Amino acid sequence: MTASSAVKAALATQAIETPSWAYGNSGTRFKVFAREGVPRTPREKLEDAARVHELTGAAPSVALHIPWDRVDDYAALATFAKDLGLRLGTINSNVFQDDDYRLGSVCHPDPRVRRKALDHLLECVDIMDATGSRDLKLWFADGTNYPGQDDIRARQDRLAEALTAVYGRLGAEQRMLLEYKFFEPAFYTTDVPDWGTAYAHCLRLGERAQVVVDTGHHAPGTNIEFIVAVLLREGKLGGFDFNSRFYADDDLMVGAADPFQLFRIMHEVIGGGGFVPDVAFMLDQCHNIEPKIPAIIRSVMNVQEATAKALLVDREALSAAQSTGDVLGANAVLMDAYNTDVRPLLAELREERGLDPDPIAAYRRSGWAERIVAERRGGEQAGWGA
Amino acid sequence: MTASSAVKAALATQAIETPSWAYGNSGTRFKVFAREGVPRTPREKLEDAARVHELTGAAPSVALHIPWDRVDDYAALATFAKDLGLRLGTINSNVFQDDDYRLGSVCHPDPRVRRKALDHLLECVDIMDATGSRDLKLWFADGTNYPGQDDIRARQDRLAEALTAVYGRLGAEQRMLLEYKFFEPAFYTTDVPDWGTAYAHCLRLGERAQVVVDTGHHAPGTNIEFIVAVLLREGKLGGFDFNSRFYADDDLMVGAADPFQLFRIMHEVIGGGGFVPDVAFMLDQCHNIEPKIPAIIRSVMNVQEATAKALLVDREALSAAQSTGDVLGANAVLMDAYNTDVRPLLAELREERGLDPDPIAAYRRSGWAERIVAERRGGEQAGWGA
Amino acid sequence: MTASSAVKAALATQAIETPSWAYGNSGTRFKVFAREGVPRTPREKLEDAARVHELTGAAPSVALHIPWDRVDDYAALATFAKDLGLRLGTINSNVFQDDDYRLGSVCHPDPRVRRKALDHLLECVDIMDATGSRDLKLWFADGTNYPGQDDIRARQDRLAEALTAVYGRLGAEQRMLLEYKFFEPAFYTTDVPDWGTAYAHCLRLGERAQVVVDTGHHAPGTNIEFIVAVLLREGKLGGFDFNSRFYADDDLMVGAADPFQLFRIMHEVIGGGGFVPDVAFMLDQCHNIEPKIPAIIRSVMNVQEATAKALLVDREALSAAQSTGDVLGANAVLMDAYNTDVRPLLAELREERGLDPDPIAAYRRSGWAERIVAERRGGEQAGWGA
Amino acid sequence: MTASSAVKAALATQAIETPSWAYGNSGTRFKVFAREGVPRTPREKLEDAARVHELTGAAPSVALHIPWDRVDDYAALATFAKDLGLRLGTINSNVFQDDDYRLGSVCHPDPRVRRKALDHLLECVDIMDATGSRDLKLWFADGTNYPGQDDIRARQDRLAEALTAVYGRLGAEQRMLLEYKFFEPAFYTTDVPDWGTAYAHCLRLGERAQVVVDTGHHAPGTNIEFIVAVLLREGKLGGFDFNSRFYADDDLMVGAADPFQLFRIMHEVIGGGGFVPDVAFMLDQCHNIEPKIPAIIRSVMNVQEATAKALLVDREALSAAQSTGDVLGANAVLMDAYNTDVRPLLAELREERGLDPDPIAAYRRSGWAERIVAERRGGEQAGWGA
């Protein structure tokens, strides 16, 4: 009873940022499947995001991707968002979709290209100033495809130089979140391939440089919750890009491939003191074949369910079992929480907050899906690179 | 001396098929980088392929991809190829780049889509009749992204039905090469994910259904040469799609990531009696960042070098060491061949055949790269999906 | 209600075989940790197994491992088991723990060693005759560590020869279950590395040769339930060796690492008609650090829970969603079953069968753990190789 | 000529430390195969190591493993080594082969066990004082097998505490080399699983705490040379444990599985200024099936060959190609060095130093193998845990 109330109270504070690009078309290198009703403008993306927040009560902010979400007037976009009950969140830079970036951006051997990339990053900070965003998320597609193609250390030097310049430009309340990725699109070296590299750079930069963990960006078998625990212990966990994977960076709905892993991650977040606004919970998914909006609703719900289970862990009993070396007992405490069906608790929470207990069904009934198909005709659909 | 002559004689018979699509633009899901001078038509692709064969003497045929290489008159295209000193090779079907194929092609739950896909495959056999191609290569992007999305067994049944229909349509001298792939673009199940599945289907179909091994299509750590040896032992190795990978299906130049693996594969091919025309040596690469033609020349040379080393293995000494359980001795025999620098031998072979000993340098001197940049202006560059 | 009764009825028929060796000491190459009270003889292993069956009602048979469980009189051992409410199950051969097997057993280059290994396998069939066991499970540690060390195809030939001899010796009601394993203890080639190789051999041998799937024996990322579905479709799934893994063949308690995967496997078993006695559900675990008996009880319960969830899948709703291409709907049907807390249902089932609803707590109360520590002093503890 | 002289001069300075335990029996969890003539004492291990150095001229020091190499008088052992032309090298601690370490050593939940482990580590520094060893190598088998089993952060705190205590005990000329390992023997979490964790600890400890890279201790697909380059750039690369792997930590002879990777690693070592005594080149292999001494000779030769190739890279041409973005040209420069057959150059170097050009053949002729089989009878063979 009281435990359940505490869990609900904690859940009520959880905010999950959805990415503007997940509302548009995306795909694999083989095909981007088009879908009717997909947004054509940043404003239409926000309208879709507003539905997600309206139904879940848990997705109050939207991450932008520049230049995909470039507009003339970011302040006006922020007002538009506010009127929808949203706010603009993290600004994501893009230094990979220009022919100039064939061999990299800030790590490119040519100083002209590096300058161009840096200018884009600095422009992103300008945009943050206009939107009031706290976080700049940096992901670099930089790397090489062939042994010998470029000098690994020289590229690290160039990277450090660019990061230093951008960090120096940040306002006092702004942060830089540095993402790492195991591979893709580079296939031999990636310039920030693992948390260690991101951590080493952030450490030199300063307090407001933090590491972001994308759950799809690791080598096979990597224990992600260990990384989360270590980064929290070091004070360097800036946030998450949630999605799920069976093989590589599959970018499926978070919680779809390994719900137990998501639970273990949330268990470390809570145990490590990471269930605070300083750790940004973001989705970063790429919906290839399923309808966008309900997939995002589902993802938000999956994060909530994993969080609820993690909040239910009897930490006192867990500590007791751990400290006496009771392997099976300690594991059982964790599994008891995981095996609990938290859907009733979340339905209750939603009803207490005036929401429909079943957001997916409510979305279906809302007619929004039909409406956007009818209204969004003509124009160019939003998508990767559009 | 004699050994070297025998090796050269064997190498002189080796034919490596290049893929028409490797001459055009390709990329990752993040970006397709455009390159000046890229072909705009199937004929221009053949012209580029002709340069590769002219310089290496080892790439006499070109694989087509339908519909990327669709023309009105395939017989005319075959004649055009012949005039360039080439022939048209394997026909590759494409049942993944149409919005209808969002949930699969021949395994799609909707019979209408399955019929459409099957019709395309049958059209490919028509094209084979026109081009005189021996092999139809089938790769299916079919699969699912989420557990429960579709029924695994039902999809196998649908696959078997389509394969049976296509196999029945083949002429007496035509073959079906069935490709498997671990994952991508499907991220939960792939309908032909491994050699076992391809083998089981081919076994039921009959003798002219054979498995094709793409060297990039395996789980991490898979011993590819073992699969090659087993398929040869079972009489079911139809050919190779050569490329190389560090992580997933990276589609880099063959031999670039693990030249020792390529050597071991060729060692099994030769030992298993696979160095015969029945085993098709094809390239299937996706050049993202490097110039197309010299990358293909390099790939052809890499296959030749691996083959030369495999031909140099002292098989008598190897057998002797193996049969006495001399682990280090047997390994040393193999490594002796691998550690040999075969570039002089291949240069010699080229000179004996009237070719330049250094095909890359000869290509650079030829002016072809500059010429195509100058001449191929306007029109739409060939590329994935173009 | 009725659904729940049907699920309970099905669960009541499920039999999970426990392995004799899981009651003894086992470990990693770095250390085998000894534990007080561990059995010293096959009979003591059976006494422990009897406790597991007594408490779960679901573990009526025990797999033996020869020579670890070698006794003078197998019929007497069978009677001993019967008196404990158990029966002797699958006979597991061991052709890897003798200095002669350094380079393999049935695939060894030396015919003398092959003969010795074959004789052992034939002896196992003799033992099956005495114990009344239906299944002979064959796992071969055979393989090579270095390229060139031995001839891959020659080893396949030797393997086929041995399997043929053993298959010919089987009685009409006896089966051969052939296990595959990705790697370990061999590190370059493994002679039966994947389901395709096992399948190809079984196909040639005949109907009573079947493939066994050890859930820890795959490459990273392998979709095991796909293999299960395909083997069931081909009529070649003989059974499971259940355990779980995060990295390699970790041999942890089944369901401990990825409970969702275990559920998906059971979903394919049920959907593919594999929930029948012909598919053997066996545990094959290696408890390094946790107490043996409760770990096995927990494993049995984990299989039951995954099975219960799989039985709860609304297959009609699933089919409906699948056939209309409703990706999210179909996935949701599966997840609804997975997210259900089935522990109450299983507790109910146990009570209906006169068992304690909580087998772990009942075991703790039983005093058995203390009793074996007190009584089993002196003698040599059972363990790998003991 | 001059280039070749410079390469030979550099090679002549290379020292590769061999591990005492590689001369004894080792194995997998399935079997440790015994071999005739294996040493029974630390002195006999040194005698074998002396043969390796005598024949290669490149293996002047031997790493000890405590307690496997525990003796009463370490100074006497050092003198014995010196008389053999050797010196005692790195001291390796062992806090995993005691029943007390079932749940860890310095990270164990029980302070008594942690104290015992710490005492052992401190004893190792005492031994270093006696042997004159510079480096203490720490590898911890610590970790957990099941989610929830212990608290990840608490274990990091305990680890930090122990490392601090040991670091404080080091003499001014002594160093601590901290090894990381992806998994095994722990299967859920490992307390130092990756270079990032090792780096973060070493950074806090101080300058004489350095990371050691074991080439077998990474996730599938990890780019090891990238880690080497980054650690060198950070001044934190203490050394290597060389061996090779196809799957997990297979501990095969270095260079046996992926000679191209070994070359790329040496290329980064040289380019990053790591070809200095501060970077320790150690072997850490586990010879299961092949004779020990020639396997170690072969490993030393493999490191030499990879180093020679890396020294042959035309770094000026490489830089030129890299700086102009010539992907194929830069790759070709690297491959030219790799494809060179350096065996003649190494044979020449050996002859110039008064050694046999073919150390393996020289070993065979030496009669040492026969002599140790004849003489080393009785006693207990050295091995893991012996």
Side-chain angles (χ1 to χ4, degrees):
Chain A
M1 205 68 143
T2 322
S4 143
S5 299
V7 168
K8 283 191 287 187
L11 285 169
T13 70
Q14 188 174 37
I16 299 157
E17 183 162 298
T18 70
S20 71
W21 55 96
Y23 297 99
N25 289 319
S26 58
T28 68
R29 62 173 167 145
F30 296 102
K31 172 72 179 167
V32 175
F33 294 105
R35 184 168 280 276
E36 288 187 289
V38 152
R40 297 157 301 177
T41 64
R43 290 190 175 211
E44 288 182 355
K45 294 182 204 172
L46 290 172
E47 285 173 344
D48 287 355
R51 295 294 82 70
V52 174
H53 184 44
E54 202 172 87
L55 291 162
T56 62
S61 68
V62 180
L64 299 186
H65 208 289
I66 308 300
W68 301 341
D69 295 314
R70 192 167 271 154
V71 292
D72 289 334
D73 185 341
Y74 288 98
L77 191 70
T79 305
F80 182 81
K82 201 180 168 191
D83 293 345
L84 288 166
L86 296 174
R87 58 184 174 72
L88 301 182
T90 303
I91 300 300
N92 290 260
S93 61
N94 177 323
V95 282
F96 52 89
Q97 287 193 320
D98 185 299
D99 277 331
D100 267 344
Y101 298 140
R102 186 170 53 90
L103 303 181
S105 64
V106 296
C107 304
H108 197 289
D110 183 343
R112 183 191 63 80
V113 178
R114 294 205 294 276
R115 183 69 240 178
K116 173 175 174 169
L118 178 57
D119 285 344
H120 172 74
L121 302 184
L122 296 173
E123 181 203 351
C124 285
V125 187
D126 294 340
I127 293 171
M128 291 167 71
D129 291 342
T131 56
S133 297
R134 181 188 57 176
D135 294 335
L136 173 66
K137 191 160 59 170
L138 300 180
W139 172 64
F140 296 103
D142 287 60
T144 64
N145 275 4
Y146 293 102
Q149 178 189 323
D150 202 358
D151 187 278
I152 294 174
R153 282 157 301 119
R155 294 180 74 94
Q156 289 294 311
D157 294 341
R158 297 170 200 150
L159 175 64
E161 194 184 323
L163 293 176
T164 302
V166 177
Y167 190 78
R169 165 66 185 83
L170 290 177
E173 306 301 315
Q174 293 174 334
R175 307 191 307 173
M176 171 194 285
L177 303 184
L178 182 55
E179 195 166 334
Y180 58 91
K181 185 174 184 184
F182 187 49
F183 82 100
E184 195 212 20
F187 296 124
Y188 168 54
T189 59
T190 291
D191 290 309
V192 191
D194 52 22
W195 78 266
T197 307
Y199 166 78
H201 281 286
C202 288
L203 211 59
R204 284 174 198 273
L205 290 169
E207 263 192 15
R208 284 167 300 123
Q210 297 268 310
V211 180
V212 65
V213 175
D214 182 305
T215 48
H217 289 190
H218 302 86
T222 301
N223 183 323
I224 299 173
E225 58 268 30
F226 180 89
I227 295 172
V228 169
V230 166
L231 283 173
L232 279 169
R233 187 175 172 272
E234 300 279 345
K236 278 293 180 198
L237 181 66
F240 287 96
D241 266 8
F242 282 126
N243 51 57
S244 63
R245 71 189 282 276
F246 286 98
Y247 302 96
D249 185 32
D250 306 340
D251 275 332
L252 302 175
M253 296 188 300
V254 57
D258 189 347
F260 184 43
Q261 183 190 56
L262 183 60
F263 160 76
R264 298 192 313 259
I265 289 172
M266 292 311 304
H267 173 66
E268 289 306 325
V269 166
I270 291 164
F275 198 65
V276 291
D278 283 357
V279 175
F281 298 120
M282 301 173 279
L283 302 185
D284 182 9
Q285 306 175 170
C286 177
H287 303 111
N288 288 324
I289 60 167
E290 67 270 39
K292 319 292 174 193
I293 299 172
I296 297 173
I297 295 174
R298 181 76 195 199
S299 300
V300 169
M301 294 171 69
N302 284 352
V303 174
Q304 290 184 303
E305 290 174 21
T307 307
K309 290 181 179 198
L311 288 164
L312 283 173
V313 172
D314 182 341
R315 287 178 180 268
E316 214 167 306
L318 184 67
S319 276
Q322 288 174 344
S323 65
T324 56
D326 179 3
V327 175
L328 292 173
N331 177 243
V333 171
L334 202 77
M335 297 312 293
D336 275 348
Y338 178 67
N339 286 325
T340 304
D341 188 345
V342 294
R343 292 172 302 169
L345 182 146
L346 278 159
E348 226 176 272
L349 170 65
R350 288 186 193 108
E351 289 192 314
E352 288 169 14
R353 302 175 77 191
L355 302 171
D356 193 291
D358 182 344
I360 293 280
Y363 176 72
R364 253 189 232 122
R365 282 195 313 270
S366 74
W368 184 258
E370 294 74 18
R371 188 175 143 188
I372 56 180
V373 168
E375 292 182 359
R376 294 177 184 168
R377 298 198 172 275
E380 200 181 345
Q381 291 190 329
W384 288 56
Chain B
M1 203 70 142
T2 322
S4 143
S5 300
V7 168
K8 285 192 285 187
L11 285 168
T13 70
Q14 189 174 36
I16 300 158
E17 183 162 298
T18 70
S20 71
W21 54 97
Y23 297 98
N25 290 319
S26 59
T28 69
R29 60 173 169 145
F30 296 102
K31 174 71 179 167
V32 175
F33 294 105
R35 184 168 280 277
E36 289 187 288
V38 152
R40 298 158 299 177
T41 64
R43 289 189 177 213
E44 288 183 353
K45 295 181 202 170
L46 291 172
E47 286 172 344
D48 287 355
R51 295 294 81 69
V52 174
H53 184 45
E54 203 171 87
L55 291 162
T56 63
S61 67
V62 180
L64 299 186
H65 207 290
I66 308 299
W68 302 340
D69 294 315
R70 191 169 271 153
V71 292
D72 289 335
D73 186 341
Y74 289 97
L77 191 70
T79 305
F80 182 81
K82 200 179 168 191
D83 292 344
L84 289 165
L86 296 175
R87 57 184 174 73
L88 301 181
T90 303
I91 300 299
N92 290 259
S93 61
N94 177 323
V95 282
F96 52 89
Q97 286 193 320
D98 185 300
D99 278 331
D100 267 344
Y101 298 141
R102 186 171 52 91
L103 303 180
S105 63
V106 296
C107 303
H108 197 289
D110 183 343
R112 183 190 62 81
V113 177
R114 295 204 294 276
R115 183 70 239 177
K116 174 175 173 170
L118 178 57
D119 285 344
H120 171 74
L121 303 184
L122 296 174
E123 180 203 352
C124 286
V125 187
D126 293 341
I127 293 170
M128 292 168 70
D129 291 342
T131 56
S133 298
R134 181 187 59 175
D135 293 335
L136 173 67
K137 190 160 59 167
L138 301 179
W139 172 64
F140 297 102
D142 288 60
T144 64
N145 275 5
Y146 292 103
Q149 178 189 323
D150 202 358
D151 188 277
I152 294 173
R153 282 156 302 117
R155 293 179 76 94
Q156 289 294 311
D157 293 342
R158 296 170 201 150
L159 175 64
E161 194 182 323
L163 293 177
T164 303
V166 177
Y167 190 78
R169 166 67 185 81
L170 291 177
E173 306 301 315
Q174 292 173 336
R175 306 192 308 173
M176 170 193 287
L177 302 185
L178 182 57
E179 195 165 333
Y180 58 91
K181 184 173 185 184
F182 187 48
F183 82 101
E184 195 213 19
F187 295 124
Y188 168 54
T189 59
T190 291
D191 291 308
V192 191
D194 53 23
W195 78 265
T197 306
Y199 167 77
H201 280 286
C202 287
L203 211 60
R204 284 175 198 274
L205 289 169
E207 264 192 14
R208 282 165 302 124
Q210 297 268 312
V211 180
V212 64
V213 175
D214 182 305
T215 48
H217 288 189
H218 302 86
T222 300
N223 184 322
I224 299 174
E225 59 268 31
F226 179 89
I227 295 173
V228 168
V230 166
L231 284 172
L232 279 170
R233 188 176 172 271
E234 300 279 345
K236 278 294 179 198
L237 181 66
F240 288 95
D241 266 8
F242 282 126
N243 51 58
S244 63
R245 70 189 283 276
F246 286 98
Y247 302 96
D249 185 33
D250 307 339
D251 275 332
L252 302 174
M253 296 188 301
V254 57
D258 189 347
F260 184 41
Q261 183 189 56
L262 183 62
F263 161 76
R264 299 192 313 259
I265 289 172
M266 291 312 303
H267 173 65
E268 289 307 324
V269 166
I270 291 164
F275 198 66
V276 291
D278 284 358
V279 175
F281 298 120
M282 301 173 279
L283 302 185
D284 181 10
Q285 304 174 169
C286 175
H287 303 109
N288 288 323
I289 60 167
E290 68 270 40
K292 319 293 174 192
I293 299 172
I296 297 173
I297 294 174
R298 181 78 193 196
S299 300
V300 169
M301 292 170 71
N302 285 351
V303 174
Q304 289 183 303
E305 290 174 21
T307 306
K309 290 180 178 198
L311 288 164
L312 283 172
V313 172
D314 182 340
R315 288 177 180 270
E316 214 166 307
L318 184 66
S319 277
Q322 289 174 342
S323 65
T324 56
D326 179 2
V327 174
L328 292 172
N331 177 244
V333 171
L334 203 76
M335 297 314 292
D336 275 348
Y338 179 67
N339 285 325
T340 304
D341 188 345
V342 294
R343 293 173 300 169
L345 182 146
L346 278 158
E348 225 177 272
L349 170 65
R350 288 185 193 108
E351 290 192 312
E352 289 170 14
R353 302 175 77 192
L355 302 172
D356 192 289
D358 182 344
I360 294 280
Y363 175 72
R364 252 189 233 122
R365 282 194 313 272
S366 75
W368 184 258
E370 294 73 19
R371 186 175 145 189
I372 57 180
V373 167
E375 293 183 358
R376 294 178 184 168
R377 300 199 170 274
E380 201 181 344
Q381 290 191 327
W384 288 57
Chain C
M1 205 68 145
T2 321
S4 144
S5 300
V7 168
K8 285 192 285 186
L11 285 169
T13 70
Q14 188 174 37
I16 299 156
E17 185 162 298
T18 70
S20 71
W21 54 97
Y23 297 98
N25 290 319
S26 59
T28 68
R29 61 173 167 145
F30 295 102
K31 173 70 179 168
V32 175
F33 294 104
R35 183 169 281 278
E36 288 187 289
V38 151
R40 297 158 299 177
T41 63
R43 291 193 174 208
E44 288 183 353
K45 295 181 203 171
L46 290 172
E47 286 172 344
D48 288 354
R51 296 293 81 72
V52 174
H53 185 45
E54 203 172 86
L55 291 161
T56 62
S61 68
V62 180
L64 300 186
H65 207 290
I66 308 301
W68 301 341
D69 294 314
R70 192 168 271 155
V71 293
D72 289 334
D73 185 341
Y74 290 97
L77 190 70
T79 305
F80 183 80
K82 200 180 168 191
D83 292 345
L84 288 165
L86 297 173
R87 57 186 173 71
L88 300 180
T90 303
I91 300 300
N92 290 260
S93 61
N94 177 322
V95 282
F96 52 89
Q97 286 193 321
D98 185 298
D99 278 330
D100 267 343
Y101 298 140
R102 187 171 53 91
L103 303 181
S105 63
V106 296
C107 303
H108 196 289
D110 182 342
R112 183 191 62 81
V113 178
R114 294 204 294 276
R115 184 68 239 177
K116 173 174 173 171
L118 178 59
D119 285 344
H120 171 74
L121 302 184
L122 296 173
E123 181 204 351
C124 286
V125 187
D126 294 340
I127 292 171
M128 292 167 72
D129 291 342
T131 57
S133 297
R134 180 188 58 175
D135 294 336
L136 173 67
K137 190 159 59 170
L138 300 180
W139 172 64
F140 296 102
D142 287 60
T144 65
N145 275 4
Y146 292 102
Q149 178 189 323
D150 202 358
D151 187 277
I152 294 174
R153 282 156 302 117
R155 292 180 76 94
Q156 289 294 311
D157 293 342
R158 297 170 201 150
L159 174 64
E161 193 183 323
L163 293 176
T164 303
V166 178
Y167 190 78
R169 165 67 184 82
L170 291 177
E173 306 301 316
Q174 292 174 335
R175 306 192 307 174
M176 170 194 286
L177 302 184
L178 183 55
E179 196 165 333
Y180 58 91
K181 185 174 184 183
F182 187 49
F183 83 100
E184 196 213 21
F187 296 123
Y188 167 55
T189 59
T190 291
D191 290 309
V192 191
D194 53 23
W195 78 265
T197 307
Y199 167 77
H201 281 286
C202 287
L203 210 60
R204 283 174 199 276
L205 290 168
E207 265 191 14
R208 284 166 300 123
Q210 297 268 312
V211 180
V212 65
V213 174
D214 183 303
T215 48
H217 288 189
H218 302 86
T222 301
N223 184 323
I224 300 174
E225 58 268 30
F226 179 89
I227 295 173
V228 168
V230 166
L231 283 172
L232 279 170
R233 186 175 174 273
E234 300 279 345
K236 277 294 180 197
L237 181 65
F240 288 96
D241 266 7
F242 282 127
N243 51 57
S244 63
R245 70 188 281 275
F246 286 97
Y247 302 95
D249 186 32
D250 307 339
D251 276 332
L252 303 174
M253 296 188 299
V254 57
D258 190 346
F260 184 42
Q261 182 188 58
L262 183 61
F263 160 76
R264 298 192 313 259
I265 289 172
M266 291 312 304
H267 174 65
E268 290 306 325
V269 166
I270 290 164
F275 198 65
V276 290
D278 284 358
V279 175
F281 299 120
M282 301 173 279
L283 302 184
D284 182 10
Q285 305 174 170
C286 176
H287 303 110
N288 287 323
I289 60 167
E290 69 269 41
K292 319 294 174 190
I293 299 172
I296 297 173
I297 294 173
R298 181 78 194 196
S299 300
V300 169
M301 292 171 70
N302 284 352
V303 174
Q304 290 184 303
E305 291 174 21
T307 307
K309 291 180 178 200
L311 288 163
L312 283 172
V313 172
D314 183 342
R315 287 177 180 269
E316 214 166 307
L318 185 66
S319 277
Q322 288 174 342
S323 65
T324 56
D326 179 1
V327 175
L328 292 172
N331 177 244
V333 171
L334 202 77
M335 296 314 291
D336 275 347
Y338 179 66
N339 285 325
T340 304
D341 188 344
V342 295
R343 292 172 302 169
L345 182 146
L346 279 158
E348 226 177 272
L349 170 66
R350 288 185 193 107
E351 289 192 315
E352 288 170 15
R353 302 175 78 191
L355 302 171
D356 192 290
D358 182 345
I360 294 280
Y363 176 72
R364 254 189 230 120
R365 282 195 311 272
S366 75
W368 184 257
E370 293 74 18
R371 187 175 144 189
I372 57 180
V373 168
E375 291 183 0
R376 294 177 183 168
R377 299 199 170 275
E380 201 181 344
Q381 290 190 326
W384 288 55
Chain D
M1 206 66 146
T2 321
S4 143
S5 299
V7 169
K8 284 191 285 188
L11 285 169
T13 69
Q14 187 173 40
I16 299 158
E17 184 162 299
T18 70
S20 72
W21 55 97
Y23 298 98
N25 290 320
S26 58
T28 68
R29 62 174 167 144
F30 296 102
K31 173 71 179 169
V32 175
F33 294 104
R35 184 170 280 277
E36 287 186 289
V38 152
R40 297 157 300 177
T41 64
R43 291 191 174 210
E44 288 182 354
K45 294 181 204 172
L46 291 172
E47 286 173 343
D48 287 355
R51 295 296 81 71
V52 174
H53 184 46
E54 202 172 270
L55 291 161
T56 62
S61 68
V62 180
L64 299 186
H65 207 289
I66 309 299
W68 302 341
D69 293 315
R70 191 168 272 153
V71 292
D72 289 333
D73 186 340
Y74 289 97
L77 191 69
T79 305
F80 183 81
K82 200 179 168 191
D83 293 344
L84 289 165
L86 296 175
R87 57 183 175 73
L88 301 181
T90 303
I91 300 299
N92 290 260
S93 62
N94 177 322
V95 283
F96 53 89
Q97 287 193 321
D98 184 300
D99 278 330
D100 267 342
Y101 298 140
R102 187 171 51 90
L103 304 182
S105 64
V106 296
C107 303
H108 197 288
D110 183 343
R112 184 191 63 81
V113 178
R114 294 205 294 275
R115 182 69 239 177
K116 173 174 174 171
L118 178 57
D119 286 344
H120 171 75
L121 302 184
L122 296 173
E123 181 203 351
C124 286
V125 187
D126 294 341
I127 293 171
M128 291 167 71
D129 291 342
T131 55
S133 298
R134 180 188 60 175
D135 294 335
L136 173 66
K137 190 160 60 169
L138 301 180
W139 172 64
F140 297 103
D142 287 60
T144 64
N145 275 4
Y146 293 103
Q149 178 189 323
D150 202 358
D151 186 276
I152 294 174
R153 282 157 301 118
R155 293 180 76 94
Q156 288 295 310
D157 293 341
R158 297 170 201 150
L159 174 63
E161 195 184 323
L163 293 177
T164 303
V166 177
Y167 191 78
R169 165 67 184 83
L170 290 177
E173 306 301 316
Q174 293 175 333
R175 307 192 308 173
M176 171 193 287
L177 303 184
L178 182 55
E179 194 166 335
Y180 59 90
K181 185 174 183 182
F182 188 49
F183 82 100
E184 195 212 22
F187 296 123
Y188 168 55
T189 59
T190 290
D191 290 308
V192 191
D194 51 24
W195 78 265
T197 307
Y199 167 77
H201 280 286
C202 288
L203 211 60
R204 284 174 199 275
L205 289 168
E207 264 192 15
R208 283 165 302 123
Q210 296 268 312
V211 180
V212 65
V213 175
D214 182 305
T215 48
H217 288 190
H218 303 85
T222 301
N223 183 323
I224 299 174
E225 59 268 30
F226 179 89
I227 295 173
V228 168
V230 167
L231 284 172
L232 278 170
R233 187 175 173 273
E234 300 280 346
K236 278 294 179 198
L237 180 66
F240 288 96
D241 267 7
F242 283 126
N243 51 56
S244 62
R245 69 187 282 277
F246 286 97
Y247 302 96
D249 185 33
D250 306 340
D251 276 331
L252 302 175
M253 297 188 299
V254 57
D258 189 347
F260 183 43
Q261 182 188 57
L262 183 61
F263 160 76
R264 297 192 313 258
I265 290 172
M266 292 312 304
H267 174 65
E268 290 306 325
V269 166
I270 290 163
F275 197 66
V276 291
D278 284 357
V279 175
F281 299 120
M282 300 173 280
L283 302 184
D284 182 10
Q285 305 176 170
C286 176
H287 304 110
N288 288 323
I289 60 167
E290 68 270 39
K292 318 295 174 191
I293 300 172
I296 297 172
I297 295 173
R298 181 78 193 196
S299 300
V300 169
M301 293 171 70
N302 284 351
V303 174
Q304 290 184 303
E305 291 174 20
T307 306
K309 291 180 178 198
L311 289 164
L312 283 173
V313 171
D314 182 341
R315 288 177 180 269
E316 214 166 306
L318 185 65
S319 277
Q322 289 174 342
S323 65
T324 55
D326 179 1
V327 175
L328 292 172
N331 177 244
V333 171
L334 202 77
M335 297 313 292
D336 275 347
Y338 179 67
N339 285 325
T340 304
D341 188 345
V342 294
R343 294 172 300 170
L345 182 147
L346 279 158
E348 225 176 272
L349 169 66
R350 288 185 194 107
E351 289 191 314
E352 288 170 15
R353 302 175 76 193
L355 302 172
D356 192 290
D358 182 344
I360 294 280
Y363 176 72
R364 251 188 234 122
R365 282 194 313 270
S366 75
W368 184 258
E370 294 73 18
R371 187 175 144 189
I372 57 180
V373 168
E375 292 182 359
R376 294 178 185 168
R377 300 200 170 273
E380 200 180 344
Q381 291 190 325
W384 288 55

